[in-house]
Amino acid sequence: MTLNTEREGKETLRRRASTPIPSAHQPGPRDRQLPVDPRHPPLGQSASYQAGDKSVHPRASWSSDSEESDSSGAECLYRVVLLGDHGVGKSSLASIFAGIQEKDAHKHIGEDTYERTLTVDGEETTLVVMDTWETEKQEEDEKWVQDYCMQVGNAYVIVYSITDRSSFESASELRIQLRRIRQAENIPIILVGNKSDLVRCREVAVEEGRACAVVFDCKFIETSASLHHNVHELFEGIVRQIRLRRDSKEANERRRSIYKRKESITKKARRFLDRLVAKNNKKMALKVRSKSCHDLTVL
């Protein structure tokens, strides 16, 4: 997998800065309108796209090693919202996605929405990652922004710290809120246990994260933003989860075949045996489901 941070013509990466929150003296939260600026679209929206729109628009790319390319040149854009308690690493994950180096992080203080094109399984998809869940504004504004975030995402990443059990419990509550607000929609939700490098401080076991993902019917992955461990896999997995829900079975099978060619023989054999045993054993089926909750290439 390669991470490209430059475009042709050596243009800088297009990145969206912080979206201003309406001030307290303006009308009530539900009546407020965010400013419209072609260079800075409303929170969670694109100046030229709606969710799933397609058009040719060159941007910096984050490419996975693939053997095919999208001959149509079409590109789709989706909003990914980061949820979770303060300090769990949401901004660190967003910065890695945006290609921001740690030494340059101080230059991007205040930015909370990032747009980037990923090439996954030979096709381009643009993600707008929104790190807008927390705000330093008044409590009334914060509630309004959080309600808005719950409604505009095409995919959600719920982050907790494996070193903080309370953040894990909050993540479970957020999943319940999403189910209530977006219950009729088949949207990708990924539970992320961040800071996996802090082994000695661990308060939430891997098995607990997986069990929570199975109960709440979402995907699960552990990451380490400080080591960049599984961060690329997370965002590429988001793209695959969106496609699995959006596109036809044939299109997904074609992409799946590309991915499978890279798998080891051992992993292929293990998956086949799991499916075979699970057919006639309900307990084993639940166990297999628990195993597959961290496989971001399947539903």
Side-chain angles (χ1 to χ4, degrees):
M1 180 171 11
T2 60
L3 176 61
N4 302 323
T5 58
E6 295 184 357
R7 295 162 34 186
E8 293 185 9
K10 299 184 178 180
E11 296 182 30
T12 57
L13 173 66
R14 179 178 178 180
R15 191 176 293 118
R16 292 209 172 95
S18 175
T19 301
I21 304 300
S23 58
H25 68 273
Q26 290 180 330
R30 299 188 180 279
D31 300 325
R32 297 173 184 171
Q33 297 295 325
L34 293 172
V36 177
D37 186 330
R39 297 168 300 175
H40 187 184
L43 177 63
Q45 297 184 15
S46 168
S48 54
Y49 296 92
Q50 294 298 324
D53 283 354
K54 296 185 176 182
S55 66
V56 179
H57 193 77
R59 292 186 184 90
S61 62
W62 180 355
S63 304
S64 64
D65 295 330
S66 56
E67 301 174 24
E68 298 180 12
S69 60
D70 184 7
S71 59
S72 66
E75 182 183 317
C76 300
L77 181 145
Y78 297 93
R79 291 183 292 271
V80 179
V81 181
L82 301 178
L83 307 179
D85 282 357
H86 177 75
V88 296
K90 300 186 300 296
S91 296
S92 296
L93 293 172
S95 294
I96 295 172
F97 168 81
I100 299 174
Q101 300 296 322
E102 186 175 351
K103 63 180 181 179
D104 299 323
H106 66 282
K107 300 178 182 178
H108 303 278
I109 294 176
E111 296 183 7
D112 52 25
T113 308
Y114 307 92
E115 179 179 329
R116 195 153 200 179
T117 298
L118 285 69
T119 302
V120 181
D121 299 332
E123 299 176 32
E124 288 189 348
T125 299
T126 298
L127 297 183
V128 175
V129 173
M130 298 170 57
D131 182 22
T132 52
W133 181 245
E134 296 177 84
T135 175
E136 296 180 358
K137 301 293 181 181
Q138 297 179 4
E139 183 177 347
E140 184 182 18
D141 285 326
E142 182 177 356
K143 181 65 168 61
W144 173 70
V145 171
Q146 292 186 350
D147 287 345
Y148 187 76
C149 288
M150 283 287 190
Q151 298 174 22
V152 300
N154 303 116
Y156 287 87
V157 175
I158 305 178
V159 187
Y160 69 90
S161 169
I162 68 158
T163 66
D164 183 359
R165 176 161 292 277
S166 65
S167 71
F168 177 65
E169 295 170 353
S170 294
S172 300
E173 290 297 323
L174 287 170
R175 178 64 185 97
I176 294 173
Q177 289 182 46
L178 270 175
R179 173 178 288 177
R180 183 174 63 250
I181 296 172
R182 310 286 295 274
Q183 58 183 342
E185 302 176 56
N186 186 20
I187 54 175
I189 300 173
I190 301 178
L191 180 66
V192 177
N194 193 35
K195 305 186 181 181
S196 62
D197 55 302
L198 302 179
V199 180
R200 294 184 179 181
C201 301
R202 180 184 284 273
E203 293 184 2
V204 183
V206 177
E207 292 73 18
E208 291 181 270
R210 289 181 180 176
C212 183
V214 171
V215 170
F216 290 115
D217 191 24
C218 57
K219 290 298 182 179
F220 170 75
I221 189 172
E222 282 200 349
T223 62
S224 170
S226 62
L227 299 180
H228 290 210
H229 175 65
N230 274 348
V231 180
H232 293 181
E233 289 77 2
L234 166 63
F235 288 105
E236 289 188 353
I238 292 170
V239 172
R240 292 188 174 106
Q241 288 297 304
I242 291 172
R243 290 173 178 172
L244 285 168
R245 291 163 173 77
R246 178 199 68 181
D247 295 339
S248 66
K249 182 178 179 180
E250 293 74 16
N252 284 312
E253 282 297 325
R254 178 178 59 80
R255 296 179 183 124
R256 181 74 175 158
S257 66
I258 297 174
Y259 181 81
K260 281 185 176 180
R261 286 201 291 269
K262 304 171 188 176
E263 288 184 335
S264 66
I265 295 177
T266 302
K267 189 172 181 180
K268 291 179 180 178
R270 188 181 298 117
R271 180 184 289 109
F272 173 76
L273 290 174
D274 285 343
R275 286 200 304 266
L276 189 64
V277 174
K279 284 184 178 180
N280 300 313
N281 189 322
K282 292 184 178 180
K283 289 185 178 180
M284 183 57 69
L286 179 61
K287 185 177 180 180
V288 170
R289 185 183 174 193
S290 177
K291 286 183 178 180
S292 67
C293 73
H294 67 279
D295 186 349
L296 304 186
T297 67
V298 298
L299 285 173

